[in-house]
Amino acid sequence: MPTVRFIRHGESTANAGAASQAPATIALTALGEQQARVLATSFIEAPELIVSSPFLRARQTAAPTAARYSETPLEIWPIEEFTYLAPERCINTTAEQRRPWVAGYWHRNDPRVADGNGAECFADFIARVTHALHRLAARPERFIAVFGHGQFMKAMRWLIESPPRHIDSAAMQAFRTADLAGWIDNGNGYVARLHQQHWRLD
């Protein structure tokens, strides 16, 4: 049964306040690249599998660890960040400029509604997170390193600690409360272990 180290990507240009073009193409800053190199030296044992989101900032964060453990398989899984705002209207905007749209999305509190083309509704996001947890549970490796994103990782933690019975408005509101309260810094994360088919956080 696996032990999984979940790691948020290093500082990105969007985290640093720059405008971005598309969620998938946001790159690391120089600090983020340094954080990725430090992360690679933080492992006291080699992971038997390295998993990364397809988004550039996660792949860049995983790269030094993958280079250090070149014999460890590296797989790209659909564990990218929750894109709940339509990407087209977010082109060349900063996080600060998007703040009112973010507030409006969460205030609407409808788990089945997507913001527009290329956006994901909350229910589909949680289904994707759930699938990733099931997929990890089925792996034979003893130690897995997963490089992903803050909100995705917070959703995993929320599902482990307090899984809802239904993905409805109450669940969406509960997740948002946990999301805002449980910040994960760039380059940080948590460890989860599978015990008797149940995930537990260290």
Side-chain angles (χ1 to χ4, degrees):
M1 293 184 179
T3 294
V4 183
R5 181 180 174 185
F6 294 100
I7 303 164
R8 185 186 178 200
H9 61 80
E11 182 190 70
S12 71
T13 56
N15 295 147
S20 56
Q21 300 302 309
T25 62
I26 297 170
L28 295 181
T29 62
L31 174 59
E33 292 173 351
Q34 179 185 5
Q35 289 169 335
R37 292 191 293 270
V38 170
L39 276 167
T41 67
S42 70
F43 287 83
I44 59 175
E45 62 176 307
E48 296 170 23
L49 174 67
I50 299 171
V51 175
S52 173
S53 152
F55 280 12
L56 177 60
R57 56 196 182 276
R59 290 189 286 110
Q60 289 178 317
T61 305
T65 300
R68 180 184 178 189
Y69 301 108
S70 58
E71 295 184 1
T72 298
L74 169 63
E75 297 184 2
I76 305 298
W77 288 14
I79 57 171
E80 64 272 16
E81 187 60 291
F82 182 23
T83 302
Y84 53 86
L85 296 179
E88 286 185 0
R89 73 165 171 154
C90 297
I91 293 173
N92 203 32
T93 62
T94 66
E96 184 62 30
Q97 290 171 318
R98 295 189 294 271
R99 194 177 301 277
W101 304 340
V102 170
Y105 173 81
W106 291 104
H107 179 74
R108 185 171 186 175
N109 198 36
D110 189 333
R112 303 289 171 182
V113 170
D115 184 59
N117 289 336
E120 185 177 31
C121 74
F122 180 74
D124 287 347
F125 168 60
I126 294 301
R128 186 160 58 84
V129 176
T130 301
H131 176 73
L133 284 171
H134 290 332
R135 188 173 179 183
L136 286 166
R139 295 295 303 205
E141 291 85 3
R142 186 179 56 86
F143 177 39
I144 302 172
V146 176
F147 291 84
H149 305 265
Q151 208 159 36
F152 194 98
M153 290 167 55
K154 285 185 279 186
M156 281 189 157
R157 185 171 62 191
W158 177 65
L159 289 174
I160 291 170
E161 292 182 325
S162 51
R165 296 186 64 182
H166 306 287
I167 302 302
D168 52 17
S169 293
M172 187 172 176
Q173 187 175 39
F175 169 72
R176 185 56 173 168
T177 299
D179 178 24
L180 293 173
W183 185 256
I184 299 173
D185 289 328
N186 293 112
N188 288 348
Y190 55 84
V191 173
R193 304 179 193 276
L194 189 68
H195 179 72
Q196 296 181 350
Q197 300 306 310
H198 294 286
W199 289 104
R200 295 180 178 176
L201 299 177
D202 270 11

